[in-house]
Amino acid sequence: MAEMLTERAFFEKEIKKSRFLAYAAPVDNEEAALAFIHEISDVEARHNCWAWRIGQQYRFHDDGEPGGTAGRPILQVIEAQDIDRVAVVVTRWFGGIKLGAGGLVRAYGGTAAECLRLAPRAAIVARVRVGFHCPFSDLALIGARLSGLGAQVEAETFDATGATYVVAVPVEGVEGLIARLADLTAGRVAARVCEDVEG
């Protein structure tokens, strides 16, 4: 099962007088990944190599290192550890000793691997969206029970008769949530699945 980082992490290592610093962060989309890369990259360093993966999308960049020796090894580490929704930047301050192609692959990949290995993670739980309208008479009861039913409120819109909810629920809890909402309200709340959510 794929995992995601729960917070940022970093790891630093010196290899033949070059300093390598890896930063990793959870990201939800390409814009967040690129913003993180821009934030972390050090303009004083010789190379800021990176990779990110979000679902089936991914990108990597060697930032001046020989092709395939930095960005791709970082991406391979992300894939090998089955981490999703993550961006990793490995910054190198050149120490005067060339590492060669194999040495670069090991340095960038190894630094990224150790950073991700140390990072706090959580399993990505597949969820679906469920929508329903709740009359005012049942709002307090339903509002108090949602979190206990594993539902995360994504939207709550009020109208003249109550509120319309969209909640995200783990796939295995959908039928139970729909049945429980109907039971709690004597059938006044009829929930239905809206669309899949990746997690």
Side-chain angles (χ1 to χ4, degrees), residues 16-181:
K16 293 187 177 178
K17 298 190 177 179
S18 281
R19 181 175 155 225
F20 290 84
L21 177 60
Y23 272 98
V27 292
D28 289 325
N29 52 51
E30 181 175 357
E31 293 74 28
L34 295 175
F36 169 73
I37 291 163
H38 179 75
E39 172 198 341
I40 293 300
S41 294
D42 186 337
V43 294
E44 302 296 318
R46 177 76 69 93
H47 307 283
N48 292 285
C49 305
W50 52 262
W52 59 261
R53 175 186 169 201
I54 302 163
Q56 299 304 310
Q57 292 185 300
Y58 62 88
R59 298 281 182 278
F60 58 88
H61 182 58
D62 293 316
D63 192 29
E65 293 285 26
T69 62
R72 181 165 288 286
I74 297 168
L75 179 64
Q76 288 170 336
V77 163
I78 292 170
E79 292 172 340
Q81 294 192 27
D82 200 13
I83 301 176
D84 197 359
R85 300 179 196 167
V86 67
V88 179
V89 178
V90 180
T91 300
R92 178 189 184 194
W93 290 268
F94 185 58
I97 300 173
K98 293 189 174 184
L99 302 180
L104 290 171
V105 168
R106 287 188 297 276
Y108 281 101
T111 307
E114 193 63 18
C115 178
L116 291 174
R117 192 183 69 73
L118 296 171
R121 306 182 201 183
I124 295 175
V125 177
R127 295 178 177 269
V128 293
R129 284 192 177 100
V130 174
F132 59 91
H133 186 272
C134 182
F136 281 121
S137 59
D138 295 312
L139 273 181
L141 174 65
I142 297 303
R145 297 291 176 91
L146 283 176
S147 64
L149 295 169
Q152 296 175 343
V153 176
E154 291 192 348
E156 182 181 35
T157 310
F158 289 92
D159 59 26
T161 60
T164 299
Y165 283 91
V166 176
V167 298
V169 188
V171 171
E172 64 275 4
V174 172
E175 290 179 14
L177 172 77
I178 292 172
R180 191 75 178 116
L181 291 174

